[in-house]
Amino acid sequence: VRSTCWYVRNGCSCGYTYGNARVGLTRSICSQFKKTMEDLTALVFSSLAPGLSPDLWPNSANLNYYADGLQSVGWHADDESLFGGKCQDCSIVSLSLGGRREFWIALKDDEAEPIKETVVEVDLQDGDVLSMEGMMQKHTMHFLTREPHHRAPFWPPRINITWRWIVNHRPCCFLRHSATSAPCAKDLHVPQSFPGERVASSPWMKPWPDEFQH
C-alpha cells in the first residue's frame, strides 16, 4: 500500500476522500515540510502560470510515495465534489520525482469503465510535469501501471505531487463560504523547460472530439 499525505494552504482545513480511502489533514506539519511545499508550488506555478497571482495558486496537494514498481493506482477519475470536476473546468497539475512510471489515460464509457481502444500512454520521468485540464475528470480515466513482476521489487521509488484547486469546501472548513475557482486551461501553459528540470509533453496524440470538451 502506497503512503499518502494531504496538504492544504491558504487557511483551508478540508480532508480528502477518494474511493474508500480518506486522507485527513495533517495537524502537525513541520515547518520544513511546509516550506518545501511552498517552494515547490512557487517553482512549478511561476513557470506554468506566470500570469496567475500566488493567491490563486492551488490550495491543496495530494502526495503519494511509491516504494517500488509493485505499487500502483488502478483506473479512476479525480471527480470528487471537492474539486468540481464533473460540472466545470478542473485543473490538476502533477509533478513526478524519482523512478520512471507508465501513465495511461482513456475515455470512459457510461459504466465508468475505460474504453481500451482510446488508451494513450506517457512515461513520467524524474522532474516531469503533467497537467489534466478542462472536463477530463468527467470524460476520462487514468491509471498508473505496475512494472513487470521480475523487476518491480527493484524499481526505484517515486514521489508524485498532484496540485488541485478545492472549489467546494467542506462544511467544517474555515473557507466554506469563500468563492474559489480553478484556472481555465488557457491560463496554464507548459514551458519549454523548468530550470534544470525536464517537463513532459502532452500525452495526447490527437484532439478529443468536440463532444468531450464540455
Side-chain angles (χ1 to χ4, degrees), residues 6-15 25-27 29 34 38 54-61 164 166 168-178 180:
W6 173 242
Y7 179 73
V8 293
R9 56 193 301 268
N10 293 344
C12 178
S13 59
C14 294
L25 177 63
T26 303
R27 298 296 179 183
I29 297 178
K34 182 175 181 180
E38 290 299 314
D55 291 340
L56 300 178
W57 289 348
N59 53 14
S60 66
R164 300 116 183 276
I166 296 174
N168 298 312
H169 291 272
R170 305 287 189 197
C172 59
C173 179
F174 302 126
L175 303 180
R176 61 188 177 277
H177 299 306
S178 301
T180 306

Side-chain angles (χ1 to χ4, degrees), residues 100-111:
R100 176 194 60 79
R101 298 299 293 270
E102 286 188 19
F103 186 75
W104 296 9
I105 304 174
L107 294 173
K108 61 181 174 182
D109 62 20
D110 293 338
E111 304 298 322

Side-chain angles (χ1 to χ4, degrees), residues 2-3 10 60 117 158 178 190 193:
R2 69 187 187 278
S3 301
N10 293 344
S60 66
E117 295 79 11
R158 172 182 183 258
S178 301
V190 179
S193 63

Side-chain angles (χ1 to χ4, degrees), residues 6-8 12 14-19 23 58-63 76-93 132 134-135 137-138 142 162-170 180-183:
W6 173 242
Y7 179 73
V8 293
C12 178
C14 294
Y16 178 33
T17 301
Y18 57 98
V23 186
N59 53 14
S60 66
N62 194 37
L63 293 83
H76 69 286
D78 297 322
D79 56 3
E80 296 84 8
S81 62
L82 206 62
F83 314 116
K86 288 184 177 180
C87 56
Q88 65 185 52
D89 279 5
C90 175
S91 297
I92 297 176
V93 177
M132 296 184 286
M135 301 298 291
Q137 305 310 315
K138 179 178 179 180
H142 49 277
T162 54
W163 282 275
R164 300 116 183 276
W165 282 263
I166 296 174
V167 297
N168 298 312
H169 291 272
R170 305 287 189 197
T180 306
S181 61

Side-chain angles (χ1 to χ4, degrees), residues 14-203:
C14 294
Y16 178 33
T17 301
Y18 57 98
N20 295 320
R22 184 180 187 281
V23 186
L25 177 63
T26 303
R27 298 296 179 183
S28 55
I29 297 178
C30 72
S31 58
Q32 185 57 52
F33 174 70
K34 182 175 181 180
K35 182 180 185 304
T36 298
M37 284 300 300
E38 290 299 314
D39 288 347
L40 280 172
T41 301
L43 172 66
V44 171
F45 288 92
S46 60
S47 296
L48 189 64
L52 204 63
S53 165
D55 291 340
L56 300 178
W57 289 348
N59 53 14
S60 66
N62 194 37
L63 293 83
N64 287 285
Y65 173 70
Y66 302 86
D68 53 36
L70 292 171
Q71 296 185 341
S72 64
V73 180
W75 284 108
H76 69 286
D78 297 322
D79 56 3
E80 296 84 8
S81 62
L82 206 62
F83 314 116
K86 288 184 177 180
C87 56
Q88 65 185 52
D89 279 5
C90 175
S91 297
I92 297 176
V93 177
S94 168
L95 171 65
S96 295
L97 301 171
R100 176 194 60 79
R101 298 299 293 270
E102 286 188 19
F103 186 75
W104 296 9
I105 304 174
L107 294 173
K108 61 181 174 182
D109 62 20
D110 293 338
E111 304 298 322
E113 295 292 333
I115 303 173
K116 298 301 176 65
E117 295 79 11
T118 67
V119 172
V120 291
E121 181 267 341
V122 61
D123 287 344
L124 296 178
Q125 304 193 50
D126 183 36
D128 280 354
V129 171
L130 178 143
S131 66
M132 296 184 286
E133 302 160 13
M135 301 298 291
M136 279 189 63
Q137 305 310 315
K138 179 178 179 180
H139 298 299
T140 74
M141 307 181 76
H142 49 277
F143 170 45
L144 187 78
T145 67
R146 289 184 178 181
E147 292 300 313
H149 189 73
H150 67 280
R151 68 187 186 199
F154 313 104
W155 202 255
R158 172 182 183 258
I159 295 174
N160 176 232
I161 304 173
T162 54
W163 282 275
R164 300 116 183 276
W165 282 263
I166 296 174
V167 297
N168 298 312
H169 291 272
R170 305 287 189 197
C172 59
C173 179
F174 302 126
L175 303 180
R176 61 188 177 277
H177 299 306
S178 301
T180 306
S181 61
C184 297
K186 64 180 177 63
D187 296 322
L188 303 176
H189 75 279
V190 179
Q192 293 300 310
S193 63
F194 288 113
E197 299 186 38
R198 298 181 64 255
V199 179
S201 60
S202 170

